[in-house]
Amino acid sequence: MTADLTGALLAALLKDAATKEVKNIHQDTWTIEESESSQDGYRNQLTGSIYRMGTKTMGDVTFNWTIGQYDYATKAEFLGGVATAKSWKRPRGIVEIHKTLIALTEDNQYCVLPYANVAGREANTDGAVGIGIVGTAMEPENDAVSSEYWFDSSEVVTA
């Protein structure tokens, strides 16, 4: 993303042929979570009370889900490696995958992580092998772009 995201820009992104839709999320596995922030408090040794706070570290925002049905190309998108129509080969070494993640909630809200680190893994889910994914919001390289956006679907229309 090169500019602050708007509903119109999100609508254009969703219509772009390069935007890939994940069509199958395994039952009840999609969540968005934000871990608690942390901050050290410095105590007055005489009174035991906190008299100042140290640097605050914000909590991580993550999308978590499992893809239940997928092709080898989708597997390569989230785990890395090389895919053909009939095979997939795991890459050697550490895999770094960064993506823009867009989720549409059941109450018609779009949530967007413009720049997310994606960690995929094979996961045994109800007797089948799914692709378990955690996408962690990262600070975008462009200062005009926020790390997380929410839009009511009525705002996601072409300008």
Side-chain angles (χ1 to χ4, degrees):
M1 294 208 181
T2 59
D4 194 27
L5 189 62
T6 64
L9 288 173
L10 180 55
L13 184 62
L14 292 170
K15 290 179 182 177
D16 187 329
T19 301
K20 182 171 179 163
E21 178 182 9
V22 176
K23 295 187 180 272
N24 181 277
I25 302 301
H26 185 71
Q27 175 182 339
D28 298 327
T29 62
W30 189 86
T31 63
I32 182 170
E33 297 179 16
E34 183 171 2
S35 60
E36 290 186 41
S37 62
S38 64
Q39 189 172 20
D40 292 330
Y42 295 94
R43 295 191 178 273
N44 178 323
Q45 196 167 351
L46 301 175
T47 66
S49 297
I50 294 175
Y51 71 95
R52 75 175 172 92
M53 297 299 290
T55 303
K56 187 174 193 175
T57 302
M58 299 303 293
D60 295 341
V61 175
T62 61
F63 283 3
N64 309 280
W65 76 96
T66 300
I67 302 172
Q69 293 178 316
Y70 52 89
D71 57 17
Y72 290 124
T74 300
K75 189 168 186 153
E77 284 278 333
F78 291 103
L79 295 174
V82 178
T84 69
K86 297 183 178 186
S87 69
W88 171 77
K89 178 172 67 172
R90 182 178 293 278
R92 294 176 60 113
I94 296 171
V95 176
E96 291 286 335
I97 298 174
H98 300 112
K99 295 190 176 297
T100 295
L101 300 176
I102 303 167
L104 177 61
T105 68
E106 290 181 354
D107 58 350
N108 293 315
Q109 302 297 308
Y110 281 97
C111 181
V112 182
L113 303 182
Y115 186 56
N117 182 70
V118 175
R121 63 181 174 79
E122 294 171 321
N124 185 4
T125 306
D126 300 323
V129 178
I131 302 172
I133 301 169
V134 176
T136 303
M138 293 176 31
E139 183 175 72
E141 296 171 354
N142 183 328
D143 290 342
V145 179
S146 181
S147 62
E148 179 183 354
Y149 291 88
W150 284 78
F151 294 98
D152 185 274
S153 61
S154 65
E155 292 292 313
V156 183
V157 294
T158 305

